[in-house]
């Protein structure tokens, strides 16, 4: 997979891709992440990328020319299976969206900023408008990092233990059950006995019952569909 990210502040999201699982996925050659600074396509000697919005609403909007130039220069190299725009007015991102995006080969993410991007860019290029939740971030960069992380960890070979993505919260519309590690007793606090029993089927049943109970208590909405 290859992910290209267009941003006015690429420094903001360099580090997530240079640590831990996302770094290893790139070192293994499973995924390539490329950050592009929109200012490189800015206009005039100040490399301007934004301007006031028509109609007098407060806030700056990213102009179409730099975005068209940047996107078209990337499209000249490859065809994108998805062109994502990160925006609070997009569709809410969830595990199902992550699963389907993880199957794609080339993804382009355009990070929104200020009051957003000129609507003509959305109309002309964007295939997916995604929000990561009902709150407002200063820009789409952190959302792009969140979306990329959720996608990349699902690609086969990225996680060491391949089953661990399958047992994540949400993969079966259930939250994950509680987990314990050694020691079996700590300051008088004991690990549930079933987990140390070595009885595989009983452990499975216990985990499922716990997952169901947690989901009922915390996220009953997940059990509705
Ligand atoms: Cl994708 N962008 C911004 N700026 N804020 C958000 C968001 C995205 N998702 C939730 N809040």
């Amino acid at each position: 997979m290859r992910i290209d990210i267009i941003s006015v502040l690429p420094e903001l999201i360099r580090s997530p891709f240079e640590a831990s699982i996302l770094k290893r996925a790139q070192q293994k050659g499973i995924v390539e992440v490329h950050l592009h600074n929109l200012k490189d396509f800015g206009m005039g000697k100040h490399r301007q990328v934004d301007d006031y919005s028509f109609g007098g609403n407060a806030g700056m909007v990213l102009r179409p020319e730099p975005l068209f130039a940047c996107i078209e220069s990337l499209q000249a190299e490859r065809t994108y299976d998805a062109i994502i725009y990160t925006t609070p007015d997009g569709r809410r991102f969830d595990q199902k969206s992550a699963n389907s995006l993880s199957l794609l080969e080339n993804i382009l993410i355009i990070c929104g900023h200020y009051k957003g991007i000129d609507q003509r860019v959305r109309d002309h290029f964007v295939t997916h408008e995604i929000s990561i939740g009902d709150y407002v971030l200063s820009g789409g960069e952190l959302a792009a990092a969140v979306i990329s992380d959720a996608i990349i960890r699902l690609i086969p070979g990225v996680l060491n233990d391949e089953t661990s993505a399958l047992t994540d919260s949400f993969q079966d519309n259930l939250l994950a059950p509680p987990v314990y590690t050694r020691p079996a007793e700590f300051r008088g606090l004991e690990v549930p006995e079933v987990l140390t029993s070595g009885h595989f089927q009983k452990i499975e049943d216990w985990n499922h019952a716990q997952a169901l109970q947690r989901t009922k208590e915390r996220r009953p909405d997940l059990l509705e569909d």
Side-chain angles (χ1 to χ4, degrees), residues 86-88 112 130-140 143 147:
T86 57
T87 174
I130 300 179
S131 160
I132 63 164
D134 294 340
Y135 40 81
V136 177
L137 303 169
S138 315
I147 293 164

